[in-house]
Amino acid sequence: MGKPSAEWIDISVPIGSNLPVWPGDPPVSMNRVLDLSQGDAATVSRLSCGVHTGTHVDAPAHFLEAGRLLHQIPL
């Protein structure tokens, strides 16, 4: 009998300014700050959003005072 294979299914949604956010959370904001087409050395954007934006995982510490942080949970 062979080893069982693990299959990952990507359920993430793209982050963009039209992405709905939880009521009261900050909206998604994306701004180009450098642009190759403007003569800059690179194209660079600034992304600002709340941690509950898009597809994410809430650590138990989000709701439980003694809950584990995300880096303390095995993948």
Side-chain angles (χ1 to χ4, degrees), residues 2 5-8 12 16 19 21 26-28 37 49 51-53 56 68-69 72 75:
S5 65
E7 184 176 329
W8 291 86
S12 57
L19 184 67
V21 296
V28 174
S37 68
C49 60
V51 296
H52 287 107
T53 299
H56 67 281
R68 291 191 289 175
L69 299 172
Q72 298 169 320
L75 185 60

Side-chain angles (χ1 to χ4, degrees), residues 1 3 6 22 28 33 36 40 42 52 54-55 68:
M1 207 185 273
K3 230 166 104 176
W22 189 260
V28 174
V33 293
L36 285 168
D40 295 317
H52 287 107
T55 310
R68 291 191 289 175

Side-chain angles (χ1 to χ4, degrees), residues 15-17 27-33 44-49 53:
I15 294 176
S17 57
V28 174
S29 172
M30 297 187 322
N31 305 91
R32 179 86 34 102
V33 293
V44 177
S45 297
R46 175 181 292 120
L47 171 65
S48 174
C49 60
T53 299

